[in-house]
Amino acid sequence: MKTIHMTTLGCDKNTIDSEMMLGLIEEKHYQIIDDPQAAEIIIVNTCCFIQSAKEQSIEYILEYVDYKNSGRCQLLIVAGCMAERYQAELAAEIPEIDGFLGVGHFDDIVELITALEAAADQPTAAMKPNTSQNQQQYLGDIDKEIIATRRYLKAGTVSTFVRISEGCDHGCTYCVIPKIRGKYRSRASQEIFKELQDLKDRGIKEIILIGQDIAPYGYDLDEAIDLPDLLEKIATRFDFSWIRMMYLYPEGITDKLLATVKKYPAICQYFDIPLQHLNDRVLKKMGRKMSFEQISALIRKIRQTLPGAVLRTSLITGFPGETEDQHQDLLKKIKVLPFDHLGVFKYSQEENTPAAGFDNQISEEHKEHRYAELMMAQQTISHAQKQRFIGKTLTVLIEGAEDQAYFGRFYGDAPEIDGSVFVDSHDSPLIIGNFYSVKIVNALEYDLIGDIENEFTK
């Protein structure tokens, strides 16, 4: 039984793609292992959304090239966004790569591995060096129907992502996603329900509905369904403890959506709303559709309708032509319109995007300075926002233990990107993956601290 290791880089959509590939691989009786140095086949599921993601992908590929050259690794496969966009360059520069798998072909992973193994078994294969001519590749078809296969989940998994849409039609001037992931397309609801039932049967307690923007869900389907309808069907048909949404562009957040979230307790009152900036002139250059006044009205409406709502956003600093005054305007507005969670990306000049050709590109030094100012301001804002939870009792999903303390998340924390709730169990053992009632006694800049009260059964 050959051993296979998968390294997943980038976003949670890549995580789903990796789990789908591993699910197919597992069916063919390969052994999936965590240690790449011990693997006979290594797959790197790459990201190339921004420059730093490309650099990280290259670093991993080169590390695994060393493993291949030194012995145990027999096949090296590069999958995902970087394979889709830069296959020719990678093939020419890194001939040790054996195969490429683009974002429209994850269901072909076993076929690719089989073809590579067959080629490696040829009598002349050991004498023939890899070249771009003999590398195998499955690329293109980025607009094909969303692929769905039974996913590989590690033992003990209780929280996972569920893709409900793919691609993007927004056309923001800085973004390469439509060129990599294709046009926007919703996934048929019955396919989603089929996957949800499988996940429920496997013990999943939290599902996170994702897409580049899930707010338009259903507009392109022939089944008269939108995102609020989908949420209602999930909340009423399935007994998940938490149903979380990621990501929602602001123009797609409707009164109907807010009413649905309010109606069903299982739907987390958590809104991840990528805004990218709050200065109107910068927003217009970015190709964004809402002004700061419209954004402010929406945020007020969410907080009035759902007083307990937790809001996250992401911003881009150093966009071409962003003046110091516009940066200061952004700093002022994140204080006027405070978010519970806020992430900042330094603008990355991506080829074949309109913004890459804009005048007045900002220096890395200025981007770094502006990034630091925004994050410092958000640290203070985050600390202030968390004070409202002190004295409240929250339902917390316990995810692990560290330094004799348990940690987990409440509805206002998404996995990986947000803070944690640290729980004093008073020496009582807690079960990882279970929900507990926790009274919050203190708040740090990004985390909450609480005392255990009791265990929930769900």
Side-chain angles (χ1 to χ4, degrees):
M1 182 183 294
K2 285 194 174 179
T3 54
I4 291 185
H5 168 81
M6 174 88 71
T7 289
T8 303
L9 306 173
C11 68
D12 36 37
K13 293 177 285 295
N14 271 15
T15 299
I16 291 179
D17 295 334
S18 290
E19 290 172 352
M20 285 170 36
M21 287 189 281
L22 289 172
L24 293 168
I25 288 167
E26 188 179 37
E27 288 179 358
K28 298 301 179 181
H29 306 296
Y30 291 93
Q31 182 183 357
I32 298 166
I33 62 174
D34 292 331
D35 181 7
Q37 295 190 64
E40 295 163 279
I41 301 171
I42 298 177
I43 305 167
V44 191
N45 193 5
T46 57
C47 176
C48 65
F49 178 54
I50 55 177
Q51 183 61 32
S52 60
K54 297 180 205 172
E55 293 171 356
Q56 183 188 43
S57 294
I58 292 294
E59 287 173 3
Y60 273 95
I61 292 169
L62 292 177
E63 179 183 346
Y64 296 156
V65 164
D66 288 342
Y67 296 166
K68 187 178 180 188
N69 290 337
S70 62
R72 184 165 180 81
C73 177
Q74 300 168 12
L75 296 176
L76 176 58
I77 296 170
V78 174
C81 298
M82 202 158 189
E84 190 67 57
R85 195 167 191 220
Y86 295 108
Q87 180 273 333
E89 293 88 341
L90 289 169
E93 295 295 327
I94 312 177
E96 292 87 352
I97 298 171
D98 296 288
F100 295 91
L101 196 72
V103 298
H105 288 276
F106 292 123
D107 53 339
D108 293 319
I109 182 60
V110 172
E111 184 177 330
L112 174 58
I113 292 172
T114 302
L116 291 172
E117 288 179 324
D121 288 340
Q122 295 298 317
T124 59
M127 302 173 60
K128 186 190 299 183
N130 255 10
T131 67
S132 58
Q133 283 72 41
N134 60 32
Q135 290 167 326
Q136 300 272 354
Q137 53 185 275
Y138 290 71
L139 303 169
D141 298 323
I142 61 173
D143 291 321
K144 71 190 289 187
E145 185 177 345
I146 296 171
I147 302 163
T149 63
R150 193 172 194 268
R151 289 152 52 190
Y152 171 83
L153 299 176
K154 289 187 176 182
T157 298
V158 296
S159 173
T160 194
F161 299 96
V162 176
R163 180 174 13 228
I164 67 168
S165 67
E166 181 60 284
C168 184
D169 293 338
H170 285 297
C172 301
T173 61
Y174 51 83
C175 187
V176 298
I177 292 298
K179 298 179 186 298
I180 299 171
R181 291 279 180 175
K183 65 184 181 182
Y184 189 92
R185 52 217 188 270
S186 304
R187 186 178 173 194
S189 64
Q190 292 305 315
E191 288 298 314
I192 296 172
F193 299 149
K194 181 180 177 181
E195 180 176 10
L196 291 177
Q197 186 59 58
D198 176 65
L199 293 174
K200 186 64 185 176
D201 292 344
R202 295 165 74 181
I204 296 300
K205 299 179 181 181
E206 176 189 25
I207 57 163
I208 305 162
L209 306 180
I210 65 159
Q212 196 63 30
D213 173 18
I214 66 171
Y217 174 82
Y219 88 93
D220 55 330
L221 298 176
D222 294 327
E223 51 178 297
I225 190 171
D226 58 12
L227 180 60
D229 296 333
L230 181 71
L231 287 166
E232 185 165 45
K233 290 177 185 295
I234 294 172
T236 54
R237 294 185 185 183
F238 302 92
D239 191 28
F240 291 108
S241 299
W242 284 347
I243 304 165
R244 189 181 301 276
M245 298 177 286
M246 297 174 74
Y247 307 86
L248 296 160
Y249 277 42
E251 58 268 25
I253 299 175
T254 62
D255 291 348
K256 181 181 178 183
L257 176 61
L258 297 181
T260 303
V261 174
K262 185 174 184 177
K263 182 176 180 181
Y264 295 100
I267 304 174
C268 295
Q269 295 187 14
Y270 176 95
F271 294 83
D272 190 323
I273 311 170
L275 296 175
Q276 313 308 358
H277 215 281
L278 295 174
N279 177 273
D280 285 346
R281 294 190 68 179
V282 178
L283 286 167
K284 186 174 181 180
K285 286 185 68 177
M286 287 179 165
R288 306 293 291 185
K289 296 180 176 64
M290 292 182 74
S291 67
F292 176 68
E293 183 178 346
Q294 292 171 313
I295 292 167
S296 298
L298 172 65
I299 299 306
R300 286 196 299 271
K301 179 186 290 186
I302 293 172
R303 293 205 183 279
Q304 288 167 2
T305 306
L306 302 164
V310 171
L311 306 184
R312 158 175 274 279
T313 194
S314 55
L315 304 174
I316 295 174
T317 188
F319 189 76
E322 181 192 49
T323 65
E324 181 62 26
D325 285 346
Q326 290 168 343
H327 167 65
Q328 292 299 324
D329 185 43
L330 177 59
L331 267 173
K332 179 181 72 175
K333 285 174 176 173
I334 65 171
K335 298 171 185 175
V336 172
L337 200 67
F339 279 78
D340 300 279
H341 307 293
L342 181 147
V344 181
F345 293 93
K346 288 169 277 189
Y347 169 75
S348 180
Q349 189 177 9
E350 296 302 314
E351 62 264 37
N352 300 319
T353 61
F358 288 175
D359 293 334
N360 301 314
Q361 297 285 329
I362 307 298
S363 71
E364 292 303 316
E365 181 181 1
H366 278 88
K367 290 178 193 175
E368 187 62 42
H369 175 72
R370 292 176 182 180
Y371 170 85
E373 285 195 330
L374 287 165
M375 292 308 296
M376 185 62 69
Q378 178 58 27
Q379 184 175 351
T380 302
I381 293 166
S382 176
H383 186 251
Q385 291 291 102
K386 289 201 175 295
Q387 301 307 306
R388 73 184 192 272
F389 295 108
I390 295 176
K392 292 187 176 180
T393 297
L394 302 175
T395 300
V396 174
L397 173 61
I398 297 298
E399 296 188 306
E402 186 177 279
D403 296 331
Q404 298 182 330
Y406 289 93
F407 61 87
R409 295 180 290 114
F410 79 116
Y411 73 87
D413 293 323
E416 305 292 337
I417 57 173
D418 294 331
S420 297
V421 181
F422 292 95
V423 180
D424 185 347
S425 67
H426 301 290
D427 297 323
S428 298
L430 305 185
I431 299 173
I432 308 301
N434 278 16
F435 287 91
Y436 292 83
S437 181
V438 176
K439 185 171 184 178
I440 304 303
V441 298
N442 198 5
L444 307 177
E445 285 86 351
Y446 302 111
D447 305 307
L448 298 173
I449 299 173
D451 290 331
I452 195 74
E453 288 195 341
N454 63 275
E455 179 180 359
F456 281 77
T457 56
K458 289 184 71 174

